Amino acid sequence: VFRLQNHSRQLDEERRINEARNQFIASVSHELRTPLTPVVALSHEMRDRVAEFTPGEIGEFAATIAKESADVSAIVEDLLAAARIEIGQLAMSPQTVDLWEIVESALAAFGEMTDVTVDVAGSVVADPGRLRQIVRNLIGNARRYGGPQVEVSSLLAGDQVMLTVADSGSGIPPELQEWVFEPFASAHRIEGVPTSVGLGLTVSRNLATMMGGTLGYSYEDGWSRFSLTLPAAPST
């Protein structure tokens, strides 16, 4: 009986791992295929029929290709960061970083954005590339799942700077507000569509911790807020 019970538990665990693996493969495939489809289609059109398009149309095609390619790059960057964090081989290069420059750079990856209000100032001690990755993830998350309005703001609190990305959406249920930071978690599910890879928030929190900061979530007064705290740069 004991051997049968033990064998049954092993089968259940193997089944769970297999299902998780299949879900992860489906999610990654969906996440990569979504931005790659227009990249492939438009690049082929420009290669085969470029003389038929106006300069304005070619400019629009190029802008779309650039935006979707940036999405692919972001997904791959999160996957690589997650793998390096897991084996303890993610290098950090902390330095004084201007918040406005980081936010501006992160926003540029999304193209023209008229629905985002930015009010940030000050400097923090962080790895610029990894901070940009966090900000990009938070803004992308707000635009994908949040409400029509997105605000990015900062606040100096003692020796810490808090950078907040807020949106006017319905928010995350209280019971899921910590769970969304778990690997492969997603609080937003659409019937018939594979969920997102679910690494963005996990990677972002780990990166924040590695840079001496924190990343948390709250919902107040109709606004969903992800708040990142990092050490403020010493005043000169």
Side-chain angles (χ1 to χ4, degrees):
V1 172
F2 176 78
R3 285 198 300 269
L4 286 174
Q5 290 176 335
N6 188 50
H7 182 62
S8 178
R9 283 193 294 269
Q10 290 178 344
L11 289 176
D12 288 342
E13 180 64 15
E14 290 175 1
R15 190 179 299 111
R16 185 190 66 80
I17 293 173
N18 190 53
E19 290 175 354
R21 181 187 61 193
N22 290 339
Q23 177 61 47
F24 176 69
I25 293 173
S27 296
V28 171
S29 299
H30 171 72
E31 287 285 282
L32 291 175
R33 184 168 59 248
T34 298
L36 279 176
T37 297
V39 168
V40 173
L42 291 176
S43 60
H44 284 182
E45 287 290 297
M46 293 175 66
R47 180 195 63 191
D48 300 334
R49 302 170 51 210
V50 67
E52 301 178 23
F53 301 113
T54 66
E57 289 173 329
I58 293 176
E60 291 178 5
F61 291 170
T64 299
I65 290 173
K67 177 185 177 301
E68 300 298 343
S69 297
D71 287 348
V72 173
S73 177
I75 294 168
V76 173
E77 187 177 22
D78 282 342
L79 288 169
L80 290 175
R84 289 169 180 163
I85 290 171
E86 182 70 21
I87 61 177
Q89 293 185 0
L90 185 69
M92 286 285 180
S93 300
Q95 55 190 271
T96 298
V97 181
D98 182 85
L99 276 181
W100 170 256
E101 292 181 1
I102 290 294
V103 173
E104 186 178 39
S105 176
L107 285 171
F110 296 97
E112 185 177 356
M113 296 177 65
T114 59
D115 56 345
V116 179
T117 301
V118 180
D119 182 17
V120 299
S123 299
V124 296
V125 177
D127 182 299
R130 297 308 175 185
L131 177 54
R132 188 180 302 108
Q133 185 175 359
I134 295 173
V135 175
R136 182 208 69 217
N137 280 336
L138 297 182
I139 294 174
N141 188 75
R143 297 191 76 229
R144 183 174 187 175
Y145 300 118
Q149 295 174 278
V150 178
E151 295 183 355
V152 185
S153 60
S154 64
L155 176 68
L156 176 63
D159 60 353
Q160 299 281 313
V161 173
M162 177 181 290
L163 179 72
T164 299
V165 177
D167 69 78
S168 57
S170 57
I172 300 172
E175 66 274 14
L176 299 180
Q177 290 181 4
E178 277 299 310
W179 180 73
V180 294
F181 291 101
E182 294 296 320
F184 315 122
S186 176
H188 308 271
R189 300 179 182 275
I190 302 174
E191 189 66 30
V193 176
T195 59
S196 65
V197 176
L199 282 176
L201 292 177
T202 305
V203 168
S204 295
R205 174 173 273 188
N206 284 332
L207 292 177
T209 300
M210 293 175 69
M211 292 188 290
T214 62
L215 177 62
Y217 174 84
S218 64
Y219 184 79
E220 300 174 16
D221 302 324
W223 285 85
S224 185
R225 294 181 173 87
F226 282 94
S227 296
L228 168 70
T229 63
L230 288 170
S235 56
T236 57

